[in-house]
Amino acid sequence: ALTGMIKANLDVDTRMSYITKEQYSKVDMKGAMVVNNVDYQSSDLPPIKIQEIAMDFTPNAVNLDNFDLVIGQSDLKGNGQLDNLLTYLSRENIMRGALKLRSNYFNTNEILAAQGSSTEEEPTATPPEKDAATRMQDPTAAETPIFDAFDFSIDAEMATLEYDVY
């Protein structure tokens, strides 16, 4: 079940040849997206309540101005920036970013138990030699680990973190 409000105004000015030739620096992207009061119910996760997520898109970055959400008993707030978003389609460039996270209480046990993560095997990665066009059409591309092309810093502070017996 999914309810809530998503407002997006995104402008992308490009040519398909820029994408297929991996000339992402020639893509002009700008706009904003705000997500408010979204409730998501799933059998794979505890209930998720997104109070707000606000993002600004510029030609070279996505600025995460604010996010505030609750996953089951856990609260999470933060902000950050992701540079060169479209470079993820290319193995030649690294996407860079920074994220600041804060939580009063974060219960990893609840999240991991709902996902059944402790017993599942890791997915197999798509070979890195596949180009962006092939990966976009390849149904196994979803198996590519999401963090394989990131240089990402995270500043996280959690007042209480529950993880197994710790």
Side-chain angles (χ1 to χ4, degrees):
L2 178 65
T3 62
M5 179 70 69
I6 299 173
K7 295 178 184 177
N9 182 7
L10 187 61
D11 219 4
V12 179
D13 184 11
T14 191
R15 295 178 179 188
M16 191 60 189
S17 62
Y18 296 159
I19 303 296
T20 57
K21 292 178 183 176
E22 298 183 11
Q23 297 172 331
Y24 305 119
S25 62
K26 293 183 178 182
V27 176
D28 185 18
M29 180 171 56
K30 58 186 172 231
M33 183 170 85
V34 177
V35 178
N36 287 96
N37 299 316
V38 171
D39 287 311
Y40 177 67
Q41 303 278 332
S42 158
S43 61
D44 296 338
L45 290 169
I48 297 173
K49 171 72 174 180
I50 299 172
Q51 306 293 340
E52 179 181 67
I53 296 177
M55 294 181 280
D56 289 315
F57 295 84
T58 69
N60 294 317
V62 176
N63 297 308
L64 179 57
D65 299 323
N66 178 47
F67 75 88
D68 182 354
L69 61 101
V70 176
I71 304 172
Q73 302 171 18
S74 304
D75 66 280
L76 199 56
K77 295 179 183 189
N79 57 53
Q81 182 176 6
L82 186 61
D83 295 328
N84 300 318
L85 177 66
L86 294 176
T87 61
Y88 187 69
L89 299 173
S90 167
R91 295 279 188 217
E92 296 175 15
N93 297 312
I94 302 285
M95 191 175 358
R96 301 185 192 292
L99 186 61
K100 181 179 178 180
L101 300 172
R102 297 295 180 258
S103 176
N104 290 314
Y105 176 74
F106 199 82
N107 186 344
T108 59
N109 297 328
E110 179 183 38
I111 295 167
L112 294 174
Q115 292 180 334
S117 295
S118 59
T119 60
E120 290 183 15
E121 293 182 22
E122 290 293 318
T124 305
T126 302
E129 64 274 5
K130 288 192 175 187
D131 64 3
T134 302
R135 282 185 280 132
M136 286 192 296
Q137 295 172 0
D138 185 353
T140 64
E143 297 174 359
T144 302
I146 193 165
F147 295 105
D148 68 343
F150 278 169
D151 179 2
F152 211 76
S153 67
I154 298 176
D155 171 2
E157 187 176 302
M158 297 176 179
T160 302
L161 173 66
E162 277 196 41
Y163 179 72
D164 198 27
V165 295
Y166 302 104

